Coordinates of all heavy atoms in Angstrom, one line a residue:
T1 N -115.0 80.7 6.2 CA -114.2 79.7 5.4 C -112.9 79.5 6.1 O -112.6 80.1 7.1 CB -114.0 80.2 4.0 OG1 -113.1 81.3 4.0 CG2 -115.3 80.7 3.3
A2 N -112.1 78.6 5.5 CA -110.7 78.4 6.1 C -109.8 79.6 5.9 O -108.8 79.6 6.5 CB -110.1 77.1 5.4
A3 N -110.2 80.5 5.1 CA -109.5 81.8 4.9 C -110.0 82.9 5.8 O -109.6 84.1 5.6 CB -109.5 82.2 3.5
F4 N -110.9 82.6 6.8 CA -111.5 83.5 7.7 C -112.3 84.6 7.0 O -112.5 85.7 7.5 CB -110.4 84.2 8.6 CG -109.5 83.2 9.2 CD1 -108.2 83.1 8.8 CD2 -109.9 82.5 10.3 CE1 -107.3 82.1 9.4 CE2 -109.1 81.5 10.9 CZ -107.8 81.4 10.5
E5 N -112.9 84.2 5.9 CA -113.8 85.0 5.1 C -115.2 84.5 5.3 O -115.5 83.3 5.5 CB -113.4 84.9 3.6 CG -114.2 85.8 2.7 CD -113.8 85.7 1.2 OE1 -113.4 84.6 0.8 OE2 -113.9 86.7 0.5
S6 N -116.1 85.5 5.3 CA -117.6 85.1 5.4 C -117.9 84.1 4.4 O -117.5 84.2 3.2 CB -118.4 86.4 5.3 OG -119.8 86.0 5.1
V7 N -118.7 83.1 4.8 CA -119.1 82.0 3.8 C -120.1 82.6 2.8 O -120.2 81.9 1.7 CB -119.8 80.8 4.6 CG1 -118.8 80.2 5.5 CG2 -121.1 81.3 5.3
N8 N -120.7 83.7 3.0 CA -121.7 84.2 2.0 C -121.5 85.7 1.6 O -122.2 86.2 0.7 CB -123.1 84.1 2.6 CG -123.3 85.0 3.8 OD1 -122.5 85.0 4.8 ND2 -124.4 85.8 3.8
V9 N -120.4 86.3 2.1 CA -120.1 87.7 1.7 C -118.6 87.8 1.3 O -117.8 88.0 2.1 CB -120.4 88.7 2.8 CG1 -120.2 90.1 2.3 CG2 -121.8 88.6 3.4
P10 N -118.3 87.6 0.0 CA -116.9 87.7 -0.4 C -116.3 89.1 -0.1 O -117.0 90.1 -0.2 CB -117.0 87.5 -1.9 CG -118.3 86.8 -2.2 CD -119.2 87.3 -1.1
G11 N -115.1 89.0 0.4 CA -114.4 90.3 0.7 C -114.6 90.7 2.2 O -114.0 91.7 2.6
L12 N -115.4 90.0 2.9 CA -115.7 90.3 4.3 C -114.9 89.3 5.2 O -115.3 88.1 5.1 CB -117.2 90.3 4.6 CG -117.6 90.6 6.1 CD1 -117.2 92.0 6.5 CD2 -119.1 90.4 6.3
Y13 N -113.9 89.7 5.9 CA -113.1 88.8 6.7 C -113.3 89.1 8.2 O -113.8 90.2 8.6 CB -111.6 89.0 6.3 CG -111.3 88.6 4.9 CD1 -111.4 89.5 3.9 CD2 -110.8 87.3 4.6 CE1 -111.1 89.1 2.6 CE2 -110.5 86.9 3.3 CZ -110.7 87.9 2.3 OH -110.3 87.5 1.0
F14 N -112.8 88.1 9.0 CA -112.9 88.3 10.5 C -111.6 87.9 11.1 O -110.9 87.1 10.7 CB -114.0 87.3 11.0 CG -115.4 87.6 10.4 CD1 -115.8 86.9 9.2 CD2 -116.2 88.6 10.8 CE1 -117.0 87.1 8.6 CE2 -117.4 88.8 10.2 CZ -117.8 88.1 9.1
A15 N -111.3 88.7 12.2 CA -110.0 88.5 12.9 C -110.3 88.5 14.4 O -111.2 89.1 14.9 CB -109.0 89.6 12.5
G16 N -109.4 87.8 15.1 CA -109.5 87.8 16.6 C -110.4 86.7 17.1 O -110.5 85.7 16.5
T17 N -111.0 87.1 18.2 CA -111.9 86.1 18.9 C -113.0 85.6 18.0 O -113.5 84.5 18.2 CB -112.4 86.6 20.2 OG1 -112.9 85.5 21.0 CG2 -113.4 87.7 20.0
L18 N -113.4 86.4 17.0 CA -114.5 85.9 16.1 C -114.0 84.7 15.3 O -114.9 83.9 14.9 CB -114.9 87.0 15.1 CG -115.6 88.2 15.8 CD1 -115.8 89.3 14.7 CD2 -116.9 87.8 16.4
S19 N -112.7 84.5 15.1 CA -112.2 83.4 14.3 C -112.3 82.1 15.0 O -112.1 81.0 14.4 CB -110.8 83.7 13.9 OG -109.9 83.7 15.0
Q20 N -112.8 82.1 16.3 CA -112.9 80.8 17.0 C -114.0 79.9 16.5 O -114.1 78.8 16.8 CB -113.1 81.0 18.5 CG -114.4 81.7 18.9 CD -114.5 81.9 20.4 OE1 -114.7 80.9 21.2 NE2 -114.4 83.1 20.8
E21 N -114.8 80.5 15.6 CA -115.8 79.7 14.9 C -115.2 78.5 14.2 O -115.7 77.5 14.0 CB -116.7 80.5 13.9 CG -117.8 79.8 13.3 CD -117.5 79.1 12.0 OE1 -116.5 79.5 11.3 OE2 -118.2 78.1 11.7
R22 N -113.9 78.7 13.8 CA -113.2 77.7 13.0 C -112.7 76.6 13.9 O -112.4 75.5 13.4 CB -112.0 78.3 12.3 CG -112.3 79.3 11.2 CD -112.9 78.6 10.0 NE -112.1 77.5 9.5 CZ -112.5 76.6 8.7 NH1 -113.7 76.6 8.2 NH2 -111.7 75.7 8.3
D23 N -112.5 76.8 15.2 CA -112.0 75.7 16.1 C -112.7 75.8 17.5 O -112.1 75.6 18.5 CB -110.5 75.9 16.3 CG -110.2 77.2 17.1 OD1 -110.9 78.2 17.0 OD2 -109.2 77.1 17.9
F24 N -114.0 76.0 17.4 CA -114.8 76.3 18.6 C -114.6 75.3 19.7 O -114.9 74.1 19.5 CB -116.3 76.5 18.3 CG -117.1 76.9 19.4 CD1 -116.9 78.2 20.0 CD2 -118.2 76.2 19.9 CE1 -117.7 78.6 21.0 CE2 -119.0 76.6 21.0 CZ -118.7 77.8 21.5
K25 N -114.1 75.7 20.8 CA -113.8 74.9 22.0 C -112.9 73.7 21.7 O -112.9 72.7 22.4 CB -115.1 74.3 22.6 CG -116.0 75.5 23.2 CD -117.1 75.0 24.0 CE -117.9 76.2 24.6 NZ -119.0 75.8 25.4
R26 N -112.0 73.8 20.7 CA -111.0 72.8 20.4 C -109.6 73.4 20.5 O -108.7 72.6 20.9 CB -111.2 72.3 19.0 CG -112.5 71.4 18.8 CD -112.5 70.8 17.5 NE -112.7 71.8 16.4 CZ -111.7 72.1 15.6 NH1 -110.5 71.6 15.6 NH2 -112.0 73.0 14.6

């Protein structure tokens, strides 16, 4: 999500290079 939280697992967040899913190659 826009809060870097898993779209299907509440309370599970991601930081670092994994967050590039939000702006992949942009």
Side-chain angles (χ1 to χ4, degrees):
T1 70
F4 307 107
E5 186 178 28
S6 169
V7 296
N8 65 308
V9 184
L12 179 63
Y13 294 88
F14 302 95
T17 192
L18 293 175
S19 64
Q20 68 181 288
E21 187 271 334
R22 294 290 308 167
D23 69 324
F24 188 60
K25 295 191 177 181
R26 292 185 292 107

